[in-house]
């Protein structure tokens, strides 16, 4: 099991089968105009001592349509949450409990591993 400090960008974050199934579900939802609300929990610290610093919700369809804006928002909120200190990196956990870098190119993967909030954004 990797910690955020050990993360290598070359690490495969999830099984292909899981990704394909989740991607199919996302594509079906997008085709019907459905969207999910994704709750983002910003945490700081190391793997054994994570502390929550912020929570907010984003519309999945908007996040995936405007990836640059979404990443800008995530980074700005993280920076504010830690008192303006520089953010080393943003991470998410996949279905194998591995830490993966969150960046514009991985937002689709990150969205696949989001747990449903039970509310649609419309």
């Amino acid at each position: 099991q990797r910690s955020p400090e050990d993360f290598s960008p070359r690490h495969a974050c999830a099984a292909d089968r899981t990704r394909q199934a989740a991607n199919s579900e996302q594509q079906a939802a997008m085709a019907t105009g459905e969207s999910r609300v994704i709750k983002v929990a910003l945490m700081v610290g190391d793997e054994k001592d994570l502390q929550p610093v912020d929570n907010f919700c984003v519309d999945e369809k908007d996040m995936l349509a405007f990836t640059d804006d979404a990443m800008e928002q995530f980074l700005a909120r993280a920076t504010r949450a830690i008192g303006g200190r520089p953010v080393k990196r943003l991470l998410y956990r996949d279905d194998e409990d591995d830490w993966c870098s969150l960046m514009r190119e991985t937002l689709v993967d990150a969205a696949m591993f989001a747990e449903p909030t039970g509310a649609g954004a419309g």
Side-chain angles (χ1 to χ4, degrees):
Q1 187 169 0
R2 295 174 182 252
S3 74
E5 299 303 318
D6 296 331
F7 180 76
S8 165
R10 292 185 204 102
H11 176 66
C13 290
D16 287 338
R17 210 173 40 215
T18 302
R19 253 191 212 142
Q20 290 169 352
N23 197 24
S24 295
E25 290 172 14
Q26 276 184 323
Q27 288 174 352
M30 296 289 268
T32 61
E34 295 175 22
S35 187
R36 296 185 303 165
V37 173
I38 297 176
K39 182 178 179 182
V40 178
L42 295 176
M43 314 286 275
V44 297
D46 63 38
E47 182 180 0
K48 295 178 174 103
D49 186 32
L50 291 172
Q51 302 296 317
V53 293
D54 192 11
N55 288 297
F56 59 98
C57 294
V58 296
D59 179 86
E60 179 183 32
K61 191 171 15 175
D62 288 345
M63 178 183 78
L64 297 176
F66 305 102
T67 55
D68 289 334
D69 293 338
M71 288 307 302
E72 187 176 308
Q73 178 188 13
F74 295 160
L75 187 57
R77 290 205 58 151
T79 300
R80 278 194 307 273
I82 60 172
R85 294 187 316 261
V87 174
K88 291 182 183 178
R89 63 182 160 252
L90 297 173
L91 303 170
Y92 67 95
R93 276 196 179 168
D94 69 6
D95 64 335
E96 295 173 349
D97 216 24
D98 290 325
W99 289 103
C100 304
S101 289
L102 180 64
M103 59 187 92
R104 185 175 55 81
E105 297 82 6
T106 63
L107 276 175
V108 172
D109 284 348
M112 283 189 261
F113 300 114
E115 295 178 9
T117 61

